[in-house]
Amino acid sequence: MNSRNWVRLFLSTLLVGGIVTGIVGFLLRWDEYKILFMNFDISEILAVLFWLIGVGFIFSIISQMGFFAYLTVHRFGLGVFRTASLWNAVQLVLIAFVLFDLVYFRYQIFAEEGETIIPYFMVALGIFLFGLVIAFLKKKQTNKEAFIPALFFMVVVSVVEWMPAIQVNEKDWLYLMIIPILVCNAYQLLILPKLTSNTNKKS
């Protein structure tokens, strides 16, 4: 892929992150922000929107760093384990390990007295199900060998990128960060073949 397409990928992912974070941010605190719309306080609305978009740009950059790191790790894994089937097995183990940690250790560290494990489980389940959908789309877009690597990226890499919010464990920040990261990761994963195919056609 040429430099022009890399720039296109960077800018478009940046835009996706900003837009999604802006929408999610208003929805998460709608009870607080709706008065701004009721009063037509345009200056305050724009101030909040620009702040959310700026935060979204940061999330997008984190997502892109994770994506390029994943591409390197994937190639490294294929080289170390020699066969794709063995590397896929390792990735499945890592997916299961990360999901378990996301539920069990978050519950052990952050759960308040009397709180059940169900909310922690539902968050992990949501990430896993979203990852399955994107991995299935990636499989249809390319080939069946892409399914497990795509699922690994959507689950493991997304959770790693989400670590700053996990450590804070503030509900709004958790959702404000993970949703844009998942969307940005899905966007990069699905748009990359189109960019590379365009490059191949031109060359």
Side-chain angles (χ1 to χ4, degrees):
M1 187 166 67
N2 58 37
S3 59
R4 182 177 180 181
N5 281 333
W6 280 122
V7 172
R8 180 184 172 189
L9 177 63
F10 173 78
L11 293 177
S12 60
T13 307
L14 204 67
L15 184 62
V16 169
I19 291 173
V20 173
T21 305
I23 294 171
V24 172
F26 275 110
L27 291 177
L28 285 174
R29 295 192 173 181
W30 180 245
D31 289 339
E32 177 183 337
Y33 293 141
K34 67 180 178 181
I35 193 171
L36 299 179
F37 290 90
M38 293 172 64
N39 295 333
F40 297 101
D41 194 342
I42 303 301
S43 61
E44 284 294 325
I45 292 172
L46 290 177
V48 173
L49 179 61
F50 288 148
W51 182 82
L52 288 170
I53 289 174
V55 172
F57 287 166
I58 296 173
F59 294 161
S60 171
I61 292 171
I62 292 172
S63 168
Q64 294 185 61
M65 291 172 61
F67 183 60
F68 293 121
Y70 162 74
L71 294 177
T72 302
V73 168
H74 182 61
R75 289 297 174 188
F76 180 76
L78 288 172
V80 169
F81 294 101
R82 302 293 182 177
T83 63
S85 59
L86 183 56
W87 172 228
N88 284 342
V90 172
Q91 290 181 93
L92 287 174
V93 171
L94 290 173
I95 290 169
F97 179 76
V98 167
L99 288 173
F100 175 80
D101 281 358
L102 188 60
V103 177
Y104 181 75
F105 286 109
R106 279 190 67 227
Y107 177 73
Q108 291 294 319
I109 295 171
F110 298 114
E112 298 177 359
E113 186 176 352
E115 187 178 7
T116 68
I117 201 172
I118 293 176
Y120 299 87
F121 174 79
M122 294 303 294
V123 169
L125 180 63
I127 294 172
F128 179 66
L129 291 178
F130 185 77
L132 281 177
V133 171
I134 300 304
F136 178 75
L137 293 175
K138 183 69 175 180
K139 174 184 173 183
K140 289 188 65 176
Q141 184 186 51
T142 54
N143 53 65
K144 63 181 181 179
E145 285 76 21
F147 182 83
I148 293 177
L151 183 61
F152 176 86
F153 173 67
M154 290 303 303
V155 174
V156 175
V157 177
S158 295
V159 171
V160 171
E161 294 167 349
W162 193 30
M163 284 303 297
I166 292 177
Q167 292 173 344
V168 174
N169 197 48
E170 202 279 320
K171 184 178 179 181
D172 286 348
W173 274 105
L174 285 170
Y175 290 111
L176 184 66
M177 188 173 190
I178 189 57
I179 295 174
I181 280 178
L182 287 172
V183 174
C184 286
N185 283 348
Y187 173 78
Q188 291 178 96
L189 200 61
L190 297 176
I191 199 68
L192 185 62
K194 296 179 182 180
L195 295 177
T196 54
S197 65
N198 288 338
T199 302
N200 292 334
K201 288 178 182 178
K202 291 178 181 179
S203 60

